């Protein structure tokens, strides 16, 4: 069967949805070079013609025609031209695909979840090469990405011509995904004809930061020598400045946690070191409340294990400043008929700074040795029936103004060389080599604090708004040289220099530079033999070497304490205008004094990596260490994986009882060799290397049947696997003795996630360009990996007390975290899709239309509760939203187009079991609305206007199913973009 010109026509068919792109399903076979003539039912031969797609109507028609010819379940978004994706962010474009939902950081899409399976279960390939782009987010959004999840916010959407989500598995697609494989494709010169040049420019306004930022892109392409040689270059630059305001708690805990409250006089003393009149040692001078029934009642209510309070209640402002630059280059050469050589180069750099300013009460989550909760007296306390704090008034509270500043850079480079050759009408091959290199650097991560100790009359009031407490301070937080200042460790002239003040948390300077490098080298060879018009055999081999290396440094003074500043030093400044867009209760603070990092850095010379004053390891020591540092040790690790795989697959096309059927059946075999290096505490940081190996045989099957001309049924089944999260594979561990007390260990002998998947799809095409479909899916997860956390006194961990600072006694409760394999469970769900142009309406009404989808997913995963208990919690898979939907309504008359899109995601879990005596942690539902308008002035010039996040949707995180207590409630503002595109 001859297929050169029809194949070229189909390959260069451009689709367009929502004015600029299309969402459709494409067959896996077509994605690997099958022709439209092959995909058509054998009983219905067709004459294939090139279709010129220029608008929304044509794009929707092309999408449905492609969908009818699919073997598997593949959704695609294609850009009509450079800079014309329907969204400014790749993740936000992907959320238009049925079953895909996203998670945001700083108001921008960062990661995706496909059919209930989160970022760790999704592989991403760029120009056919698997890559891993990583960046650093806020702590509440996952922090620095040290896992396998892909950060889509590293790249400008203008660099890509198509995004493909492969939901079903076939043998010729690399292993490693339980959820989906996402293919990102940059534009190539042979995708276009002749000379092309485009420039796009936009201005973006954020109503939170009240800043206007630029976004520009260009593309230049040409073909030469009778279209045997082509060259394309493109680039994009954007700036983004955002203010993120909100209220957060860093989780909730119950009454007895951290040693309980200070008991009033007349009640059995707590802590046990209390005197008759003071909380704890008399030297601290923190008075107990006088004896009264009211004081006793408040203390008893607050001490009830069923009643919960915020651990770190605080107002916060985060200032994000990002510069994103991307460049692509592509050269294609066709030396002879049937041979194509393609070289692609992708470069992306994300430069960012982030400043986090918090006004917080730190002692609710701290132990007696840190001057924490046992020094707090409960003056008043009101709780809801579910145990959530409604109102509290407290004495002896430590207040802190904390500022953290980060410099963040992600540099991604990827060269790819692809050779495609057709030996004759029956035999063809392709070969591909490439390297994806992602380098994340966080050279500056510095936190400084101002403190006020043992403040009386502090209030927390959730009665007006359970998501944003009204906090009352008994002093003016805006006052310069007021209650907030640096509390340093006294410097002694003789004897031993103490590193801390007993039973007190003093001011701190934390310095934590860190980074991560991920390199993926890939080589692949594929061979295909078309035996006849009904049957094609494929086979291939691939080799991958993946290296992940992370590091972190911290001060050798693991308390992060400091001496008092020089006399007369002015080390504070202020922020103002806090709370815009939050709709907070009346009376909340709108600004406060914050540490002036630049002034503090100069006064203390904090970046000298040296001892400025006093003994080694003391408050004046700013020397940094890594593997010998108990706090930093666990983030110094290296993982190397070598994956060798091969596959065999047959593609078939027959008439079965007069029903045209097509599909594929095959098997993939892969061997994974792992080498993990971490550092353990013995000897001050001893390197430990562990090797591990496992093999997987992964069969797959896909079938599509045309029951009638307009009704198609598809089925698919496969075995799949996903390798363990990178952070879990280190044989080392870390002990953190500042902030939240934690111990983290890894397990390099973990088994991978393994599952059996079953998919089906029922599609009915009615009317012109109208479609309704139902997709059913089930994944039986046989092997799961869970991060297990327990709260354990340090003395019970088996670790030596020498790892603790001098002011710790071993009774401090640490969160101990370790990964384990569990049995998993089942995940199942369905997708509904509906698409229809309103051509039945009269007049201009026929230019309207809609694209709708709805997904429902459920799962029952077994989670272990304790390493010493057989108890299990059965709950949803992490990151799984049981319900999600996407609705787009559009108008397109060929010159003017408009769309409004809404994306709804129901609440989902992020941790099971939850921390601090809670069952679960998660994020509440979101509803995002975007609008886009465009007007073609002529064939060359087009004007655009867009609105993003028009609902100013909050990042609303919770803890506890019963209480739904707020953990984070931040907003980042609405964004408006106006601009133009010009084609030369």
């Amino acid at each position: 069967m001859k297929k050169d010109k029809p194949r070229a026509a189909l390959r260069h068919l451009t689709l367009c949805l929502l004015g600029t792109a299309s969402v459709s399903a494409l067959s896996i076979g077509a994605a690997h070079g099958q022709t439209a003539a092959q995909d058509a039912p054998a009983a219905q031969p067709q004459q294939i013609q090139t279709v010129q797609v220029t608008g929304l109507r044509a794009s929707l028609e092309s999408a449905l025609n492609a969908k009818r010819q699919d073997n598997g379940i593949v959704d695609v978004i294609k850009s009509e031209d450079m800079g014309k994706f329907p969204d400014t962010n790749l993740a936000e474009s992907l959320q238009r695909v049925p079953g895909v939902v996203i998670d945001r950081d700083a108001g921008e899409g960062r990661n995706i979840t496909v059919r209930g399976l989160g970022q760790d279960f999704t592989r991403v390939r760029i120009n056919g090469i698997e890559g891993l782009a990583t960046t650093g987010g806020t702590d509440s959004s996952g922090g620095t990405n040290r896992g396998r999840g892909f950060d889509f916010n590293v790249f400008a959407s203008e660099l890509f011509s198509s995004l493909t989500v492969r939901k079903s598995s076939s043998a010729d697609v690399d292993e490693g995904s339980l959820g989906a494989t996402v293919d990102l494709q940059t534009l190539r010169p042979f995708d276009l004809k002749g000379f092309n040049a485009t420039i796009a420019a936009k201005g973006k306004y954020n109503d939170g930061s009240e800043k206007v930022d630029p976004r520009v892109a260009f593309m230049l392409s040409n073909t030469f020598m009778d279209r045997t040689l082509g060259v394309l270059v493109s680039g994009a630059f954007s700036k983004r400045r955002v203010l993120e305001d909100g209220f957060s708690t860093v989780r909730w805990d119950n009454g007895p946690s951290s040693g309980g409250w200070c008991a009033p006089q007349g009640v059995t003393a707590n802590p046990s070191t209390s005197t008759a009149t003071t909380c704890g040692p008399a030297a601290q001078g923190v008075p107990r409340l006088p004896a009264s029934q009211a004081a006793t009642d408040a203390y008893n209510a607050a001490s009830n294990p069923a009643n919960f309070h915020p651990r770190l209640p605080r107002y916060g402002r985060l200032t994000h400043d990002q510069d994103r630059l991307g460049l692509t280059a592509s050269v294609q050469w066709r030396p002879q008929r049937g041979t194509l050589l393609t070289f692609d180069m992708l470069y992306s750099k994300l430069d960012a700074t982030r400043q986090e300013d918090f006004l917080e009460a730190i002692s609710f989550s701290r132990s007696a040795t840190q001057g924490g909760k046992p020094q707090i007296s409960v003056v008043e306390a009101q709780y809801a029936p579910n145990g959530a704090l409604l109102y509290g008034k407290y004495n002896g509270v430590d207040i802190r103004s904390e500022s953290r500043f980060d410099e963040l850079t992600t540099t991604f480079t990827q060269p790819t060389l692809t050779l495609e050759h057709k030996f004759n009408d029956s035999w063809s091959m392709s070969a591909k080599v490439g390297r994806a290199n992602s380098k994340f650097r966080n050279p500056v991560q510095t936190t400084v604090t101002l403190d006020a100790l043992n403040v009386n009359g502090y209030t927390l009031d959730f009665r007006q708004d359970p998501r944003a407490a009204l906090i009352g301070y008994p002093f003016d937080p805006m006052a310069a040289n007021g209650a907030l200042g640096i509390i340093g460790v006294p410097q002694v002239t003789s004897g031993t220099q103490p590193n801390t003040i007993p039973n007190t948390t003093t001011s701190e300077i934390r310095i934590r530079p860190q980074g991560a490098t991920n390199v993926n080298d890939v080589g692949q060879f594929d061979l295909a033999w078309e035996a006849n018009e009904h049957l094609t055999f494929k086979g291939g081999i691939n080799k991958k070497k993946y290296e992940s290396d992370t590091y972190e440094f911290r001060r050798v003074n693991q308390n992060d304490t400091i001496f008092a500043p020089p006399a007369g030093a002015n080390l504070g400044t202020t922020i103002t205008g806090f709370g815009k867009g939050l709709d907070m209760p009346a009376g909340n603070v709108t600004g406060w004094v914050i540490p002036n990092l630049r002034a503090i850095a100069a006064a203390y010379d904090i970046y000298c990596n040296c001892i400025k004053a006093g003994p080694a390891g003391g408050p004046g020591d700013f020397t940094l260490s890594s593997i010998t540092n108990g706090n930093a040790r666990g983030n110094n690790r290296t993982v190397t994986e070598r994956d060798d795989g091969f596959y065999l697959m047959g593609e078939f096309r027959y008439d079965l009882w007069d029903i045209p059927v097509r599909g594929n059946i095959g098997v993939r075999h892969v061997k994974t060799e792992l080498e993990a290096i971490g550092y353990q505490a013995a000897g001050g940081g001893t390197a430990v290397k562990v090797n591990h190996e496992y093999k997987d045989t992964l069969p797959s099957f896909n079938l599509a049947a045309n029951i009638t001309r307009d009704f198609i049924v598809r089925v698919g089944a496969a075995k799949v696997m996903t390798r363990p999260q990178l952070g879990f594979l280190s044989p080392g561990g870390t002990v953190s003795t500042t902030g939240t007390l934690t111990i983290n260990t890894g397990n390099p002998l973990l088994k991978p996630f393994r599952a059996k998947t079953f998919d089906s799809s029922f599609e009915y095409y009615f009317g012109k360009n109208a479609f309704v479909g139902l997709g059913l899916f089930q994944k039986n997860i046989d092997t799961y990996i869970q991060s297990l956390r327990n709260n354990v006194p340090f003395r019970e961990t088996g670790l030596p007390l020498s790892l603790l600072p001098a002011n710790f006694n071993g009774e401090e409760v640490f969160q101990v975290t370790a990964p384990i394999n569990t049995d998993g469970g089942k995940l199942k769900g369905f997708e509904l899709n509906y698409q229809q142009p309103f051509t039945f309406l009269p007049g201009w009404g026929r230019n309207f239309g809609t694209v709708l989808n709805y997904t429902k997913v459920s799962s029952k995963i077994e989670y272990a509760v304790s390493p010493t208990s057989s108890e299990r919690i059965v709950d949803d898979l992490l990151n799984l939203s049981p319900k999600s939907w996407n609705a787009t309504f559009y108008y397109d008359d060929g010159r003017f187009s408009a769309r409004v899109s809404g994306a709804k995601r129901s609440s989902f879990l992020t941790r099971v079991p939850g921390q601090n005596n809670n069952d679960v942690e998660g994020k509440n539902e979101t509803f995002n609305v975007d609008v886009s308008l465009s007007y073609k002035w002529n064939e060359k010039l087009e004007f655009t206007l867009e609105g993003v996040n028009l609902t100013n949707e909050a990042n609303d995180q919770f803890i506890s199913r019963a209480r739904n207590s707020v953990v984070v409630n931040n907003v980042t503002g609405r964004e408006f973009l106006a601009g133009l595109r010009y084609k030369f």
Side-chain angles (χ1 to χ4, degrees):
M1 183 180 293
K2 300 292 183 182
K3 47 186 179 180
D4 293 293
K5 289 187 178 180
R7 174 189 294 167
L10 185 62
R11 278 182 176 174
H12 299 114
L13 191 64
T14 308
L15 305 178
C16 158
L17 176 67
L18 312 179
T20 59
S22 74
V23 178
S24 67
L26 294 179
S27 71
I28 292 177
H32 285 266
Q34 277 188 292
T35 67
Q38 284 180 304
D39 285 339
Q44 300 177 8
Q46 300 180 18
Q47 180 66 36
I48 305 300
Q49 297 179 346
T50 300
V51 179
Q52 182 65 35
V53 179
T54 59
L56 181 58
R57 298 287 177 181
S59 73
L60 294 177
E61 181 178 0
S62 299
L64 287 186
N65 288 339
K67 191 176 186 69
R68 296 180 74 158
Q69 297 173 359
D70 289 347
N71 288 341
I73 302 173
V74 179
D75 293 307
V76 174
I77 305 174
K78 277 186 174 283
S79 175
E80 179 187 5
D81 204 345
M82 191 281 302
K84 295 196 70 177
F85 262 106
D87 297 279
T88 59
N89 175 277
L90 291 178
E92 288 159 9
S93 293
L94 285 167
Q95 74 174 330
R96 312 297 175 197
V97 172
V100 177
V101 292
I102 69 174
D103 201 10
R104 291 176 169 83
D105 183 44
E108 185 179 43
R110 181 181 181 185
N111 310 117
I112 69 170
T113 293
V114 183
R115 290 181 164 181
L117 291 159
Q119 59 175 350
D120 288 323
F121 303 101
T122 300
R123 294 176 53 255
V124 177
R125 302 188 301 188
I126 304 175
N127 295 330
I129 295 295
E130 183 176 358
L132 178 58
T134 58
T135 187
T138 60
D139 287 348
S140 62
S141 297
T144 298
N145 182 356
R146 300 181 186 274
R148 297 184 190 270
F150 191 92
D151 289 336
F152 287 90
N153 56 344
V154 170
F155 300 103
S157 61
E158 290 90 345
L159 300 179
F160 297 92
S161 61
S162 69
L163 314 179
T164 303
V165 181
R166 305 183 186 278
K167 298 178 181 176
S168 60
S169 298
S170 61
D172 58 341
V173 176
D174 298 1
E175 79 293 334
S177 167
L178 262 65
T181 296
V182 177
D183 279 318
L184 310 180
Q185 181 64 56
T186 59
L187 198 63
R188 290 169 169 170
F190 285 174
D191 295 336
L192 308 170
K193 291 184 178 180
F195 174 79
N196 290 268
T198 304
I199 187 168
K202 298 178 182 179
K204 178 172 64 64
Y205 174 78
N206 182 284
D207 70 353
S209 65
E210 299 182 344
K211 303 286 188 181
V212 177
D213 296 320
R215 187 180 183 102
V216 295
F218 76 92
M219 185 275 294
L220 185 65
S221 174
N222 204 354
T223 56
F224 312 91
M225 302 169 57
D226 195 23
R227 199 172 165 78
T228 60
L229 179 66
V231 179
L232 180 147
V233 293
S234 69
F237 172 80
S238 63
K239 189 173 185 66
R240 186 169 187 260
R241 290 176 290 179
V242 175
L243 292 183
E244 181 177 353
D245 280 3
F247 171 79
S248 59
T249 63
V250 194
R251 303 182 301 278
W252 290 51
D253 211 339
N254 66 4
S257 65
S258 301
W261 311 94
C262 176
Q265 297 178 35
V267 177
T268 302
N270 185 62
S272 59
T273 53
S274 298
T275 69
T277 59
T278 63
C279 305
Q284 300 306 122
V286 182
R288 297 171 66 178
L289 288 180
S292 71
Q293 188 61 48
T296 300
D297 291 344
Y299 172 78
N300 288 337
S303 301
N304 188 335
N307 287 337
F308 284 73
H309 62 84
R311 297 179 65 252
L312 207 70
R314 60 188 187 178
Y315 294 140
R317 164 170 290 173
L318 289 74
T319 304
H320 305 269
D321 192 336
Q322 301 173 340
D323 290 342
R324 183 184 291 111
L325 173 67
L327 298 169
T328 75
S330 181
V331 179
Q332 291 187 290
W333 178 41
R334 202 186 310 271
Q336 63 182 29
R337 182 183 177 89
T339 303
L340 177 63
L341 185 67
T342 302
F343 175 76
D344 296 303
M345 183 68 192
L346 172 63
Y347 171 87
S348 182
K349 187 171 186 180
L350 178 64
D351 276 325
T353 62
R354 182 179 64 244
Q355 180 159 325
E356 306 177 31
D357 296 303
F358 296 104
L359 182 61
E360 57 199 15
I362 64 171
S363 49
F364 287 94
S365 62
R366 303 202 170 207
S367 65
T369 55
Q370 298 170 290
K373 190 172 172 181
Q375 292 185 8
I376 298 178
S377 296
V378 184
V379 181
E380 298 180 45
Q382 299 177 24
Y383 292 88
N386 62 12
L389 178 71
L390 293 175
Y391 175 80
K393 184 175 183 179
Y394 308 93
N395 287 351
V397 179
D398 296 341
I399 309 297
R400 168 169 284 181
S401 175
E402 175 179 321
S403 291
R404 169 176 157 180
F405 181 76
D406 285 79
E407 293 181 4
L408 310 143
T409 300
T410 297
T411 304
F412 184 94
T413 58
Q414 181 184 297
T416 307
L417 184 65
T418 305
L419 173 65
E420 300 170 85
H421 179 68
K422 186 175 178 60
F423 298 102
N424 51 45
D425 287 345
S426 299
W427 287 90
S428 62
M429 59 79 68
S430 68
K432 188 186 299 287
V433 293
R435 163 176 281 197
N437 188 325
S438 176
K439 182 184 293 184
F440 167 72
R441 294 294 180 264
N442 189 182
V444 177
Q445 186 190 114
T446 303
T447 302
V448 290
T449 72
L450 303 176
D451 293 87
L453 299 181
N454 302 319
V455 170
N456 294 333
Y458 174 85
T459 60
L460 273 173
D461 191 347
F462 288 94
R463 293 172 297 186
Q464 297 181 60
D465 187 350
R467 315 310 296 174
L470 178 61
I471 303 178
Y473 299 93
F475 58 85
D476 181 5
M478 286 286 289
N481 300 315
L484 291 166
I486 289 183
I487 299 174
V489 176
Q491 189 168 3
V492 300
T493 56
S494 62
T496 302
Q497 171 64 55
N499 291 338
T500 62
I501 299 176
N503 303 305
T504 300
T505 297
T506 60
S507 298
E508 300 171 5
I509 295 178
R510 305 174 199 153
I511 307 173
R512 300 178 180 179
Q514 55 187 288
T517 300
N518 295 281
V519 180
N520 204 28
D521 292 311
V522 178
Q524 184 165 326
F525 178 82
D526 299 276
L527 190 65
W529 173 47
E530 185 179 321
N532 53 53
E533 63 179 348
H534 300 295
L535 189 60
T536 298
F537 293 99
K538 291 184 176 183
I541 60 174
N542 71 296
K543 295 180 72 68
K544 292 184 288 186
K545 180 183 178 182
Y546 174 64
E547 294 179 285
S548 176
D549 181 79
T550 71
Y551 70 87
E552 181 177 9
F553 288 83
R554 296 195 185 190
R555 290 178 63 188
V556 295
N557 172 9
Q558 296 189 36
N559 294 104
D560 294 322
T561 54
I562 55 178
F563 290 129
N570 183 10
L571 304 181
T573 183
T574 58
I575 62 169
T576 59
F578 168 77
K580 182 179 179 180
L582 282 174
D583 192 27
M584 295 186 68
N588 69 286
V589 300
T590 59
W592 59 89
V593 174
I594 65 172
N596 186 330
L597 173 59
R598 182 171 298 180
I600 291 174
Y604 286 91
D605 194 13
I606 66 175
Y607 298 121
C608 72
N609 194 21
C610 67
I611 300 174
K612 294 300 295 184
D621 191 346
F622 294 97
T623 307
L624 302 180
S625 60
S626 58
I627 61 174
T628 59
N629 190 310
N631 285 344
R633 184 180 299 120
N635 283 329
N636 290 271
R637 58 178 182 263
T638 300
V639 174
T640 302
E641 283 180 350
R642 291 176 174 84
D643 308 325
D644 297 328
F646 68 88
Y647 75 93
L648 294 172
M649 186 177 77
E651 294 181 333
F652 57 85
R653 181 178 303 278
Y654 290 97
D655 283 357
L656 186 63
W657 300 300
D658 295 326
I659 297 176
V661 297
R662 61 192 186 276
N664 57 60
I665 184 170
V667 63
R668 186 175 194 87
H669 181 81
V670 63
K671 179 177 72 173
T672 302
E673 296 179 308
L674 168 72
E675 179 184 277
I677 300 175
Y679 298 89
Q680 295 184 343
T686 301
V688 178
K689 181 170 69 174
V690 176
N691 293 290
H692 186 42
E693 177 183 311
Y694 50 89
K695 299 177 181 179
D696 288 274
T697 300
L698 308 170
S700 60
F701 169 74
N702 291 280
L703 175 71
N706 286 72
I707 305 301
T708 69
R709 182 178 180 277
D710 297 322
F711 181 56
I712 300 176
V713 175
R714 309 178 195 276
V715 294
K719 281 188 175 182
V720 294
M721 61 87 79
T722 291
R723 296 178 177 89
Q725 298 96 321
L726 293 173
F728 289 170
L729 294 176
S730 172
T734 187
V735 179
S736 180
T737 57
T738 59
T740 301
L741 306 182
T742 60
I743 298 172
N744 292 287
T745 62
N747 181 1
L749 300 181
L750 287 170
K751 299 176 183 177
F753 299 91
R754 293 187 172 110
K756 302 179 184 70
T757 66
F758 306 92
D759 296 278
S760 61
S761 179
F762 304 87
E763 303 165 5
Y764 177 56
Y765 300 80
F766 63 98
K768 183 176 176 58
N769 302 336
F771 161 78
V772 63
L774 169 65
L776 305 175
F777 53 89
Q778 178 170 314
K779 301 177 188 291
N780 297 339
I781 302 175
D782 302 320
T783 307
Y784 190 71
I785 299 173
Q786 173 194 340
S787 180
L788 191 62
R789 289 173 174 83
N790 273 332
N791 292 328
V792 180
F794 190 88
R795 288 187 183 278
E796 299 178 14
T797 65
L799 296 173
L801 292 178
S802 60
L803 296 177
L804 297 178
N807 63 316
F808 280 44
N809 60 17
E811 299 301 327
E812 294 79 12
V813 176
F814 281 70
Q815 291 179 14
V816 181
T817 304
I820 61 170
N821 280 116
T822 59
D823 294 334
K826 290 185 177 181
L827 178 151
K828 58 184 179 180
F830 67 85
E831 296 172 352
L832 285 172
N833 295 273
Y834 172 71
Q835 176 179 309
Q836 185 170 20
F838 298 158
T839 52
F840 53 84
L841 294 177
W844 54 268
R846 64 187 296 107
N847 297 322
F848 287 96
T850 189
V851 180
L852 308 172
N853 63 68
Y854 173 84
T855 304
K856 182 176 175 59
V857 189
S858 62
S859 66
K860 296 298 180 185
I861 302 297
E862 290 189 1
Y863 296 93
V865 176
S866 166
T868 59
S869 170
S870 60
E871 182 183 356
R872 294 291 187 268
I873 294 177
V874 179
D875 214 317
D876 285 343
L877 187 70
L878 301 187
N879 297 299
L880 181 150
S881 289
K883 298 177 183 179
S884 62
W885 58 261
N886 211 290
T888 296
F889 296 94
Y890 64 85
Y891 175 90
D892 182 24
D893 62 13
R895 180 175 291 270
F896 174 74
S897 68
R899 70 169 174 91
V900 57
S901 297
K904 178 69 173 289
R905 179 182 188 180
S906 64
S907 62
F908 60 97
L909 302 181
T910 56
R911 181 169 288 155
V912 180
Q915 302 172 85
N916 305 106
N917 302 297
N918 292 274
D919 56 349
V920 298
E921 299 172 38
K923 290 191 176 183
N924 281 314
E925 65 179 27
T926 58
F927 177 55
N928 289 81
V929 177
D930 304 321
V931 171
S932 177
L933 309 173
S934 67
Y935 179 75
K936 291 184 178 180
W937 184 264
N938 53 42
E939 291 303 312
K940 294 181 178 294
L941 180 62
E942 181 178 5
F943 296 97
T944 61
L945 179 65
E946 301 164 74
V948 179
N949 188 27
L950 296 183
T951 55
N952 193 22
E953 197 69 6
N955 173 15
D956 185 355
Q957 302 178 26
F958 72 91
I959 191 166
S960 169
R961 281 195 183 276
R963 301 190 318 275
N964 190 30
S965 296
V966 59
V967 174
V968 174
N969 183 35
N970 291 357
V971 297
T972 53
R974 303 167 182 85
E975 295 186 343
F976 303 91
L977 298 91
L980 56 85
R981 296 179 68 258
Y982 190 82
K983 295 190 66 174
F984 294 88

